[in-house]
Amino acid sequence: GGATGISVLTEENYFLGSLEWMRDVRTLLTELLPGERPSVLRKDFLVEPYELVQARAYGADNVLLIVALLELELLKDLI
C-alpha cells in the first residue's frame, strides 16, 4: 500500500504488546519486501538506555521517547 513504516506496541502490562511481535513484523517485512527496509518503530514507555539496545536487537529502527516521562539528562542520553 506504500507505507514506509510500521509502529509496533511492545508495552506488555497495560497495552498487551510484545517484543516478539516486533521481531515477527521485521521478519514479515523482510519476506514480503525483499530489498526494501520499511522503518519499524517500537512504541513503549522507554526509560532505560538498555531498552534502546533491546529495541534494535528485536528489529526496531526507531523508538518512541515520551518526553514527559524522562528527566532532561536521561533524555539526552537516550537521544
Side-chain angles (χ1 to χ4, degrees), residues 20-61:
E20 286 73 28
W21 291 355
M22 193 167 52
R23 182 176 26 214
D24 293 346
V25 165
R26 170 56 68 206
T27 300
L28 181 62
L29 288 172
T30 301
E31 292 171 4
L32 291 176
L33 303 169
E36 298 181 39
R37 187 168 171 93
S39 181
V40 174
L41 168 71
R42 179 181 182 179
K43 289 180 74 174
D44 205 326
F45 300 106
L46 304 181
V47 295
E48 297 290 338
Y50 83 88
E51 292 169 315
L52 296 178
V53 176
Q54 182 184 51
R56 176 63 80 190
Y58 279 83
D61 299 297

